[in-house]
Amino acid sequence: MASTTETIKMKQIRFRVNGMTCAACASHVEKALNAIEGVEEASVVITNEQASVTYDPDRLRVKDLAEAVVRSGYEMGTKTEKISIGDMTCAACSASVQRALSRREGVLEARVNLATETARVRYLPDVIGKDELVQAVEETGYSMVTRADDDEEIGAEMEAMHRAQKKVMWAFVLTVPVWSLMLASMFGLHLPVSSAVQIAIEAALAFPVVFLIGFHTMRSALRAVRHGAANMDVLIAMGTGAAYAYGISSLFFDVHTFFGLAAGIMAFHLLGRYLEARARGKASQAIKKLLEMEADTARVLVDGEEREIALEDVRIGDIMLVRPGEKIPTDGEVVKGTSTVDESMATGEPIPSAKNTGDEVMGATINKQGVLEARATRVGRDTFLSQVIRMVEEAQATRVPIQEFADRVTGRFVPVVILIAAVTFALWLIFGGTGAITTAVFATIAVLVIACPCALGLATPTALMVGIGKGAENGVLIRHGAAVQTMKNITTIVFDKTGTITQGKPEVTDVITTSDLSEEELLQYAASAETASEHPLGEAIVAKARSAGLDLLEIEEFHAIPGHGIEGTLKGKEILIGNKRLLRKRKVDIDHIETTLADLEEQAKTAMLVSHDGHMVGVVAVADTVKDDSQQAIAQLKTMGLAPVMLTGDNERTARAIADQVGIKRVRAEVLPDEKTDEIRALQNAGEIVAMVGDGINDAPALKQAHVGIAIGTGTDIAIESADITLVRGKLSAVVAGVRLSRSTFRIIRQNLFWASIYNTIAIPVAALGLLNPMIAMVAMTISSISVVFNSMRLKNVRLTESP
């Protein structure tokens, strides 16, 4: 704790802590905060979930406090704002805005994406307000606009594109006559006026192009300079401004008129900005496609009558009527009818999925055959499609580690270029000989124009945008951009068994009694005990008993024992259902059925041992079939150089039988949930880069521990939230698609960065030597930026899955 005897200006903040349920939780968080060096006093009140911390702001930031809260197992009450940043033109702009936001006290994370011209800011609303975020952005010379929804954002984007198109048109309408006069002069042709008048005409035509149509660029440059920053617009403003000023000097000295050069650079700059905007719009089509998938209206049944209402008016519990060929308006559950539904928009699977009463349906999917009546279960922002859109947007706003390198380069690039331009000008003046001034201006302008780091700034985010969008279209949802870079380096991929390699929907295959109980009574006892269990094996036993028409008994004092089984009280006596370890631990004799158990396990059946009143009464065997694509997917992963490993809580024989079916050699069986994390950590300590694929609650810690966590989308919400990548299809072929997508995306990122870097490395010296016309430099710079975007769009054609 900070010393109170020193003269320290302390600061006090209050914030909400989420996830606390009792006084012990509050005490735990309080101790974690008080243990931080620089905290004078921290108190946490459970009643209003509020923490009050007095700390030394010179030694600590709110981020440090947030990390302490997270380490203690809880979270600060945060808010995430998606905002649109105006006037950004290059990576230096986005880096400047991100630094300004990140430095504000109360901002936990700020991610600014040049490609989408948006920022995602996660902050503590109790510490900093939205007005202060606006102020932070404006102090860097940019503007911040919050838009109501994605439709409004797309509308604003289209409007801005139309404005950019008009600017380009008028810029060239005025620039072409200036070029014509310049070309005519080169061949000795002049207007029937004095040279001063012709110069004035050229200046009058070029002025609106440079200073009126190009006003946005000039203003952006002035703002950047005023705030001590330097962006791409500074280079363009310096280049066009110098060319125009040099042209004015031709009224007084016998030098070349550079008005055509000034107007041309600005015109091509505006053309480049317009083409970049169009290309970036194509790169972000994934979000637009997802938004367009939503239905506009819904038919609902009210008192037996059919009514058509707007989609936003659908409420949870409404019964929706969906005819063949229509989109299902929102997420729901089938209450009447049978049909097949095209779910390819979510899963990437071309084969329609059969739907019957009780099955879930997703909004925006297409009903193919029969008439369905479905009860709405999720609406608005809670639907599957909305969650996918939100996940894709958040992922596209994230950063990959290699982008940090590009950001560091671009952050220092513009000042270095200005220095190079100054040195170029000075050296040409000194050693240029005849026409030194003209050559010096010519070469300096070329350096300023050719060096714009647009391509470098767009290299990573555009590839990430297209790659993540491609994944979303194929049922591979990337939650964190960093996973794209990490995934390509994976050496070992670990699979949970149940629900991942297997269907996760086991069925009872054998009921073997070892006592005076009949098979029906044994099944009744086992099913009665499992009614309170959520484990798939327990649900299979209950389903078997109900299908046999057995009446289930009341279970008392039920307890689940993770990794072992369950225990409870049935007819006043203890009942245990689980694996051998559980029964041996409870001193139940099972030696007489070892041979039977071995036979079942060798058939890949899981044996559930049943003990009642301390005595072994029988075995219920359950089999979980392997998914139809598991063997092929694992074979493909092996050909890609990945080593598969299977972790399961099941017994060794059953685990080995399943592993042999799918071609996995390394198996760890009878692993408890908390031991899965240890197994992942052991592989990491051995130097392996590990991906973990799982679907259950007990997989969540292991998914977090792995370098890349991959959740099966049909699994639990906790597992999905813990993962870096979510597979909507629930098939292992989607893992193959995820690996291919990662490798392809990162390959494109490296190509973009290489060509963007090599372009500037070669072009700047050529320009400094006076061998590059500034106009050609401007065209080349524009082509460079656009080529990066279109190279990224090649990801749309990457084949992620193989045809059967």
Side-chain angles (χ1 to χ4, degrees):
M1 296 176 64
S3 172
T4 56
T5 60
E6 300 175 9
T7 305
I8 300 175
K9 187 178 180 181
M10 291 292 179
K11 185 175 182 180
Q12 185 182 52
I13 64 167
R14 290 183 175 84
F15 53 84
R16 182 176 295 277
V17 178
N18 294 332
M20 297 189 301
T21 58
C22 61
C25 301
S27 176
H28 185 55
V29 176
E30 190 173 292
K31 286 179 181 177
L33 290 169
N34 278 309
I36 304 173
E37 288 291 333
V39 171
E40 183 180 75
E41 183 181 8
S43 61
V44 181
V45 181
I46 185 63
T47 52
N48 59 3
E49 297 183 318
Q50 285 280 330
S52 176
V53 183
T54 303
Y55 68 102
D56 180 0
D58 293 330
R59 300 173 64 185
L60 290 174
R61 297 200 64 203
V62 172
K63 286 183 180 179
D64 301 315
L65 304 178
E67 289 173 2
V69 171
V70 171
R71 283 196 301 270
S72 65
Y74 304 92
E75 291 185 355
M76 283 184 164
T78 62
K79 185 176 182 180
T80 299
E81 194 83 43
K82 178 192 173 186
I83 51 182
S84 181
I85 306 293
D87 303 327
M88 291 196 305
T89 56
C90 66
C93 303
S94 59
S96 178
V97 174
Q98 183 163 299
R99 281 195 302 270
L101 288 168
S102 298
R103 288 171 181 166
R104 287 287 171 143
E105 197 70 284
V107 173
L108 301 182
E109 185 180 22
R111 301 187 304 234
V112 181
N113 190 322
L114 172 63
T116 57
E117 296 182 324
T118 58
R120 281 191 177 273
V121 185
R122 187 166 67 91
Y123 62 98
L124 297 170
D126 297 324
V127 178
I128 186 172
K130 191 173 175 182
D131 290 343
E132 292 171 273
L133 298 178
V134 174
Q135 183 182 0
V137 174
E138 290 179 345
E139 284 178 357
T140 61
Y142 303 93
S143 60
M144 185 170 104
V145 182
T146 303
R147 290 180 178 140
D149 52 33
D150 295 294
D151 289 330
E152 183 180 336
E153 185 170 330
I154 291 173
E157 183 180 298
M158 294 302 296
E159 184 180 342
M161 200 176 297
H162 288 314
R163 286 200 303 269
Q165 188 178 26
K166 287 182 179 179
K167 284 184 179 181
V168 170
M169 181 188 69
W170 282 109
F172 277 99
V173 164
L174 294 170
T175 299
V176 169
V178 183
W179 288 346
S180 301
L181 291 173
M182 286 178 60
L183 289 171
S185 297
M186 291 173 60
F187 291 100
L189 300 175
H190 300 278
L191 292 176
V193 295
S194 66
S195 60
V197 172
Q198 180 164 330
I199 291 171
I201 292 172
E202 291 180 18
L205 290 170
F207 181 85
V209 177
V210 176
F211 298 104
L212 299 181
I213 301 174
F215 174 74
H216 183 276
T217 300
M218 292 297 187
R219 184 185 61 180
S220 173
L222 288 172
R223 282 180 175 177
V225 172
R226 191 184 312 130
H227 292 93
N231 59 20
M232 181 190 77
D233 288 337
V234 172
L235 301 181
I236 298 299
M238 290 179 68
T240 54
Y244 192 87
Y246 194 71
I248 292 294
S249 69
S250 65
L251 288 169
F252 310 100
F253 306 102
D254 186 17
V255 294
H256 292 283
T257 59
F258 276 5
F259 293 118
L261 185 60
I265 290 172
M266 184 61 76
F268 276 113
H269 168 66
L270 295 173
L271 175 62
R273 292 288 303 278
Y274 166 66
L275 293 177
E276 281 176 25
R278 284 196 61 180
R280 288 202 299 249
K282 289 183 179 179
S284 62
Q285 279 179 347
I287 295 293
K288 296 181 180 68
K289 277 186 180 179
L290 291 171
L291 288 169
E292 290 168 358
M293 287 178 180
E294 286 187 321
D296 297 321
T297 61
R299 289 191 183 90
V300 297
L301 297 176
V302 180
D303 298 329
E305 294 184 3
E306 180 183 323
R307 293 183 186 176
E308 187 169 353
I309 63 174
L311 180 63
E312 55 267 24
D313 293 332
V314 176
R315 297 291 178 262
I316 293 175
D318 285 351
I319 303 299
M320 304 175 292
L321 181 67
V322 189
R323 295 190 174 92
E326 294 181 343
K327 289 182 180 178
I328 296 172
T330 190
D331 295 1
E333 179 183 349
V334 177
V335 295
K336 185 179 179 181
T338 59
S339 182
T340 57
V341 175
D342 179 359
E343 297 180 332
S344 58
M345 73 91 184
T347 66
E349 289 282 356
I351 301 174
S353 175
K355 298 296 179 182
N356 299 291
T357 302
D359 290 339
E360 292 185 353
V361 290
M362 292 181 286
T365 56
I366 301 172
N367 183 25
K368 301 296 289 184
Q369 293 179 338
V371 177
L372 291 177
E373 291 183 17
R375 180 186 297 109
T377 55
R378 287 191 293 265
V379 297
R381 294 181 62 82
D382 295 327
T383 65
F384 173 81
L385 181 61
S386 295
Q387 290 173 11
V388 169
I389 291 171
R390 190 157 57 248
M391 190 182 295
V392 171
E393 287 178 333
E394 289 175 358
Q396 288 181 340
T398 60
R399 305 159 74 78
V400 294
I402 197 172
Q403 191 174 343
E404 301 298 329
F405 162 75
D407 288 348
R408 285 196 299 271
V409 171
T410 52
R412 297 174 175 84
F413 197 75
V414 175
V416 170
V417 168
I418 293 173
L419 178 62
I420 292 173
V423 171
T424 299
F425 184 78
L427 291 176
W428 274 109
L429 278 183
I430 297 170
F431 303 107
T434 306
I437 296 179
T438 299
T439 307
V441 172
F442 188 87
T444 301
I445 293 172
V447 169
L448 291 170
V449 170
I450 198 66
C452 292
C454 308
L456 202 59
L458 291 169
T460 300
T462 50
L464 207 58
M465 284 170 60
V466 179
I468 290 171
K470 173 75 174 181
E473 292 171 4
N474 288 271
V476 180
L477 303 180
I478 299 173
R479 295 176 58 86
H480 306 291
V484 171
Q485 182 166 340
T486 308
M487 191 70 172
K488 74 175 181 62
N489 298 320
I490 291 299
T491 58
T492 300
I493 187 158
V494 179
F495 297 94
D496 173 53
K497 179 178 75 69
T498 305
T500 302
I501 292 176
T502 63
Q503 295 286 355
K505 296 179 180 178
E507 295 180 352
V508 174
T509 58
D510 303 86
V511 179
I512 304 169
T513 180
T514 61
S515 65
D516 56 357
L517 291 178
S518 66
E519 291 184 4
E520 288 77 11
E521 288 175 318
L522 175 60
L523 184 59
Q524 182 188 45
Y525 276 34
S528 298
E530 293 283 6
T531 52
S533 172
E534 295 181 352
H535 196 283
L537 299 181
E539 291 175 351
I541 294 173
V542 174
K544 179 68 173 179
R546 285 178 172 159
S547 67
L550 300 178
D551 294 327
L552 302 186
L553 308 174
E554 184 177 352
I555 181 74
E556 302 172 0
E557 299 180 10
F558 172 88
H559 296 288
I561 308 171
H564 290 83
I566 64 167
E567 64 177 340
T569 302
L570 189 67
K571 290 188 173 182
K573 297 176 181 179
E574 181 188 60
I575 185 168
L576 298 172
I577 303 178
N579 55 27
K580 291 186 288 186
R581 286 197 295 178
L582 174 62
L583 271 68
R584 281 178 176 154
K585 188 175 180 181
R586 298 300 179 85
K587 310 299 183 184
V588 178
D589 181 19
I590 61 172
D591 292 341
H592 59 290
I593 61 163
E594 284 287 359
T595 303
T596 301
L597 296 179
D599 290 340
L600 292 171
E601 290 166 0
E602 286 175 359
Q603 299 173 50
K605 295 176 181 178
T606 300
M608 305 287 287
L609 284 63
V610 185
S611 164
H612 191 230
D613 193 23
H615 300 286
M616 182 73 187
V617 294
V619 179
V620 179
V622 179
D624 185 9
T625 58
V626 171
K627 292 179 180 177
D628 55 10
D629 72 332
S630 291
Q631 183 178 1
Q632 181 185 6
I634 288 169
Q636 290 172 356
L637 291 170
K638 288 162 79 173
T639 61
M640 296 166 75
L642 301 180
V645 178
M646 188 173 81
L647 290 184
T648 178
D650 215 335
N651 64 79
E652 182 72 34
R653 286 196 186 95
T654 302
R656 176 54 61 189
I658 294 293
D660 288 343
Q661 287 185 46
V662 297
I664 294 180
K665 300 299 183 185
R666 297 167 65 182
V667 178
R668 283 287 284 114
E670 300 182 30
V671 179
L672 296 176
D674 57 341
E675 293 175 344
K676 288 187 177 181
T677 303
D678 296 333
E679 293 293 333
I680 298 294
R681 192 178 292 114
L683 288 168
Q684 292 171 328
N685 292 338
E688 302 287 347
I689 309 298
V690 183
M692 167 72 187
V693 186
D695 75 322
I697 292 175
N698 59 358
D699 296 325
L703 291 171
K704 278 287 188 184
Q705 176 63 38
H707 292 101
V708 178
I710 305 174
I712 299 294
T714 51
T716 65
D717 290 341
I718 293 176
I720 292 170
E721 287 296 324
S722 302
D724 302 298
I725 298 174
T726 298
L727 309 177
V728 179
R729 292 204 298 268
K731 292 187 176 182
L732 291 196
S733 57
V735 178
V736 179
V739 174
R740 285 182 175 150
L741 176 65
S742 168
R743 292 181 176 182
S744 298
T745 301
F746 197 75
R747 183 169 59 250
I748 291 293
I749 289 174
R750 283 190 298 192
Q751 289 173 1
N752 287 348
L753 289 174
F754 172 79
W755 288 111
S757 302
I758 202 72
Y759 160 82
N760 281 322
T761 302
I762 295 172
I764 291 176
V766 173
L769 292 172
L771 302 176
L772 186 63
N773 187 297
M775 199 84 72
I776 296 175
M778 189 70 246
V779 174
M781 189 273 290
T782 299
I783 293 172
S784 172
S785 298
I786 296 170
S787 66
V788 161
V789 179
F790 280 100
N791 187 49
S792 299
M793 290 176 64
R794 289 172 51 222
L795 283 167
K796 290 189 173 187
N797 301 319
V798 171
R799 191 174 183 178
L800 300 182
T801 56
E802 293 182 358
S803 301

